[in-house]
């Protein structure tokens, strides 16, 4: 399933662009531009995370419902602090998945590579579950996601550290927490950007969470210096935006 969907996406996109180029190169360029627009999710990600912070300020229950749109864990028991932290984790992790990794694969393989990556990423989320029923069925998709995100995740973390210094955040602490906590996750790439975000803002992320009604023990990322507050949203969004701009300059 993983092979057919990913390879099929690449080949179909490549054939469509080739057919468009047969009529005129400008047609292929326009299609590429449209494809890139739909493959980059930075604005949508910021919008969803802001909505979580606004919802939890209105009520805890509304915040739980809103954060459930963007995380895979059970949200029915989350406190306001945990809701905000979960939203920040998603923002940091998906900076790589939603913005930098697609641009990385576009730089290497053009729009077909970018589209193939965008098939790998949600495929892992849809079938890569660690439970008895789907453990082996989703394993190929999960491992493939780890491979294609490895270099982009490292680049994302390094660029985010640079952006932390440029924005006047705690870049030194971001580097320190990155070196210490970048592997504090069951997945090899997820904690890289989360650790930088936690260090730059001086907060603690991750930790134990419920999945499918079962408590899963997970290490924390960052130091428990202070709780996550509403003021962290504009800071983290500026951090993500500048990191995206730096990555765009790099790939150009």
């Amino acid at each position: 399933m993983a092979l057919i969907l990913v390879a099929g996406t690449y080949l179909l996109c490549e054939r469509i662009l080739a057919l468009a180029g047969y009529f005129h190169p400008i047609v292929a360029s326009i299609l590429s531009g449209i494809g890139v627009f739909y493959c980059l999710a930075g604005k949508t990600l910021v919008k969803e995370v802001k909505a979580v912070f606004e919802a939890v300020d209105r009520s805890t229950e509304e915040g739980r419902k809103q954060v459930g749109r963007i995380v895979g864990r059970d949200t029915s028991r989350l406190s306001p602090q945990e809701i905000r932290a979960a939203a920040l984790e998603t923002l940091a992790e998906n900076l790589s998945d939603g913005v930098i990794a697609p641009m990385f694969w576009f730089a290497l393989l053009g729009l077909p590579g970018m589209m193939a990556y965008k098939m790998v990423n949600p495929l892992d989320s849809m079938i890569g579950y660690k439970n008895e029923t789907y453990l082996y069925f989703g394993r190929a998709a999960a491992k493939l996601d780890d491979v294609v995100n490895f270099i982009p995740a490292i680049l994302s973390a390094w660029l985010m550290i640079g952006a932390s210094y440029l924005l006047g955040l705690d870049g030194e602490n971001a580097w320190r927490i990155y070196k210490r906590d970048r592997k504090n996750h069951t997945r090899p790439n997820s904690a890289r950007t989360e650790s930088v975000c936690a260090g730059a803002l001086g907060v603690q992320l991750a930790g134990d969470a419920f999945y499918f009604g079962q408590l899963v023990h997970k290490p924390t990322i960052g130091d428990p210096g202070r709780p996550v507050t509403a003021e962290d949203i504009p800071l983290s969004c500026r951090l993500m935006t500048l990191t995206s701009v730096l990555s765009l300059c790099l790939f150009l």
Side-chain angles (χ1 to χ4, degrees):
M1 180 177 179
L3 178 64
I4 290 171
L5 287 176
V6 176
T9 299
Y10 181 93
L11 293 173
L12 179 62
C13 182
E14 191 274 333
R15 286 293 87 202
I16 290 173
L17 289 179
L19 182 61
Y22 174 78
F23 289 104
H24 199 284
I26 293 180
V27 178
S29 296
I30 291 173
L31 287 179
S32 289
I34 294 172
V36 169
F37 175 80
Y38 281 107
C39 282
L40 297 177
K43 184 177 178 181
T44 303
L45 184 59
V46 168
K47 180 181 176 182
E48 289 290 336
V49 172
K50 283 183 176 179
V52 171
F53 274 67
E54 291 167 358
V56 76
D57 285 341
R58 291 191 293 269
S59 74
T60 303
E61 190 56 40
E62 198 172 337
R64 289 168 177 166
K65 188 178 298 184
Q66 190 68 34
V67 79
R69 290 163 49 92
I70 59 174
V71 300
R73 72 193 69 176
D74 296 341
T75 61
S76 59
R77 312 178 195 187
L78 296 183
S79 67
Q81 157 68 14
E82 290 171 332
I83 292 170
R84 294 189 184 96
L88 270 191
E89 290 169 37
T90 301
L91 181 66
E93 182 180 349
N94 285 282
L95 169 63
S96 177
D97 295 352
V99 181
I100 296 177
M103 286 198 288
F104 173 82
W105 288 106
F106 181 81
L108 283 183
L109 299 174
L111 186 64
M114 193 182 213
M115 286 290 187
Y117 170 78
K118 294 300 289 186
M119 176 57 74
V120 173
N121 198 238
L123 187 63
D124 169 46
S125 302
M126 293 171 71
I127 65 173
Y129 291 110
K130 287 187 174 181
N131 57 41
E132 187 176 350
T133 305
Y134 296 110
L135 179 63
Y136 296 106
F137 179 66
R139 178 165 288 182
K143 295 299 182 183
L144 183 59
D145 184 74
D146 291 340
V147 170
V148 300
N149 275 305
F150 183 69
I151 295 176
I154 295 174
L155 286 175
S156 300
W158 290 353
L159 290 170
M160 191 184 289
I161 292 170
S164 300
Y165 281 104
L166 292 174
L167 287 172
L169 299 174
D170 197 341
E172 186 174 338
N173 193 50
W175 173 244
R176 181 180 69 85
I177 298 298
Y178 170 72
K179 289 192 294 183
R180 190 190 74 187
D181 295 347
R182 69 185 186 275
K183 296 182 180 179
N184 284 7
H185 202 282
T186 54
R187 304 296 292 272
N189 305 317
S190 297
R192 293 183 183 276
T193 47
E194 288 182 31
S195 60
V196 176
C197 182
L201 297 177
V203 298
Q204 188 174 77
L205 303 176
D208 297 347
F210 283 90
Y211 292 87
F212 302 103
Q214 292 186 335
L215 178 63
V216 177
H217 296 286
K218 299 165 64 177
T220 57
I221 296 173
D223 295 326
R226 62 175 182 83
V228 180
T229 65
E231 285 70 34
D232 289 313
I233 250 302
L235 289 175
S236 58
C237 288
R238 286 200 294 270
L239 179 60
M240 192 192 102
T241 300
L242 182 55
T243 304
S244 300
V245 171
L246 292 176
S247 68
L248 177 62
C249 295
L250 173 66
F251 294 130
L252 284 174

